[in-house]
Amino acid sequence: QKGAISRAATLREQFFSGNRVTHNRSTAASSTSQREGRKNLQNLLKKAAESIGRSDIDISIYIARLEADLYNDVEHLTEEDADELSRYMPRRLAKEVHKIIMTADG
């Protein structure tokens, strides 16, 4: 009986440590995906700001506002119109962001 208990403890340890490894890998992949999504948002907003002649503005606050509502990547914005985007950034910038997205999808 001691052998069975010992074997069960070993299996339990292997099972839980395996789950931790899998969880850590998926967490790392998710983190990488989030960084890439953030970079895509930054690039989009920078491009839009440059297009309207405002490359000097700090876009980080607008990215933070978008991310607060779980818009973590450009693809999350494709279904939103300029009015919706203007909730997160100045209207002129929102219109340019929308135009760029529609041109890229079109």
Side-chain angles (χ1 to χ4, degrees), residues 23-75:
H23 175 69
N24 289 341
R25 285 183 189 148
S26 67
T27 302
S30 175
S31 178
T32 299
S33 176
Q34 287 176 353
R35 279 193 303 272
E36 289 172 1
R38 189 179 218 318
K39 189 68 173 168
N40 291 340
L41 281 175
Q42 288 174 335
N43 291 339
L44 172 64
L45 268 64
K46 281 181 185 178
K47 183 177 179 179
E50 289 169 2
S51 293
I52 63 171
R54 293 299 310 266
S55 58
D56 60 323
I57 61 174
D58 180 11
I59 60 168
S60 63
I61 190 167
Y62 312 130
I63 291 171
R65 289 176 183 170
L66 289 164
E67 289 176 336
D69 274 352
L70 304 180
Y71 291 108
N72 299 320
D73 199 341
V74 173
E75 70 182 41

